[in-house]
Amino acid sequence: VRMASQAAVNLSADTGLMVAILVWGTFGPTVVQVHEGADQLHVNVRAGNVFTLSGTASGTIFAAFMRGKTVRDQLKAEMSEGARTQRIGMPISEKDMADNIESARALGYATIAERPVPGVNAISAPVFDSTGQMQLALTLIGPSPSLPVGDTSPFIAQLLGTTQMLSTQLGWTPASPAKTQE
């Protein structure tokens, strides 16, 4: 997290966007640090916030790349909670979530537009360690006009460059791709 913190500061300065660092906590993807961007964004993202797996870009990254039964169990619990969830982000259908996970695994990142906050977009990518285990997610968050999330968004390359650098520092090599949950 210490290494990710400095990388997040740099990424925020380079992009002008908010950068959140999330780890897997007791109740799911949990924000541990937030670095404000140059543009003030009026959303309440702070350390300790827990995101849904299916209603956020960060959650989709954990669902796509974190190993084990814990994520599957959390996703089932979230789907049964529905609108009653206390996490940030409204759960989506199982089919839509399966499509999002497949896309995130193929692309190496996840995006979300206008959800869970109208007018706000996000792009999230994983950081892996030497064993291929996902350690954390870095998420860019910004106003929709300032943070395009389409395939040609320049912010995707910036985020992936940062997460790949962090993963390499933790001993991960692209030649041994990260294993996904079974």
Side-chain angles (χ1 to χ4, degrees):
V1 172
R2 181 180 45 80
M3 291 177 359
S5 180
Q6 186 56 53
V9 166
N10 295 340
L11 184 60
S12 181
D14 290 347
T15 62
L17 299 167
M18 178 185 287
V19 178
I21 303 171
L22 293 94
V23 299
W24 186 263
T26 304
F27 300 105
T30 305
V31 177
V32 292
Q33 289 185 9
V34 177
H35 300 277
E36 298 289 338
D39 291 334
Q40 287 299 309
L41 185 62
H42 300 288
V43 294
N44 192 16
V45 177
R46 64 181 189 278
N49 285 146
V50 179
F51 289 3
T52 61
L53 288 168
S54 66
T56 63
S58 304
T60 299
I61 284 300
F62 279 94
F65 293 103
M66 197 167 151
R67 294 183 200 155
K69 186 176 182 293
T70 303
V71 172
R72 289 189 304 273
D73 290 348
Q74 184 66 38
L75 189 55
K76 285 179 189 174
E78 185 178 293
M79 294 296 176
S80 69
E81 288 173 0
R84 298 182 320 269
T85 187
Q86 297 297 308
R87 297 170 190 87
I88 294 174
M90 193 60 90
I92 60 175
S93 75
E94 288 184 47
K95 167 141 179 28
D96 288 343
M97 186 61 193
D99 292 344
N100 289 350
I101 289 171
E102 184 179 324
S103 175
R105 287 178 179 164
L107 298 171
Y109 65 90
T111 64
I112 200 157
E114 308 275 333
R115 287 187 309 120
V117 179
V120 176
N121 290 349
I123 306 169
S124 188
V127 174
F128 300 104
D129 67 14
S130 61
T131 66
Q133 178 70 37
M134 183 180 165
Q135 292 299 306
L136 57 92
L138 283 185
T139 303
L140 287 172
I141 304 168
S144 301
S146 301
L147 180 57
V149 294
D151 295 343
T152 60
S153 173
F155 296 107
I156 293 169
Q158 286 181 282
L159 177 61
L160 290 176
T162 301
T163 56
Q164 289 168 359
M165 175 200 66
L166 288 169
S167 294
T168 300
Q169 290 174 348
L170 291 174
W172 180 79
T173 57
S176 59
K179 297 177 179 103
T180 58
Q181 79 180 35
E182 300 160 4

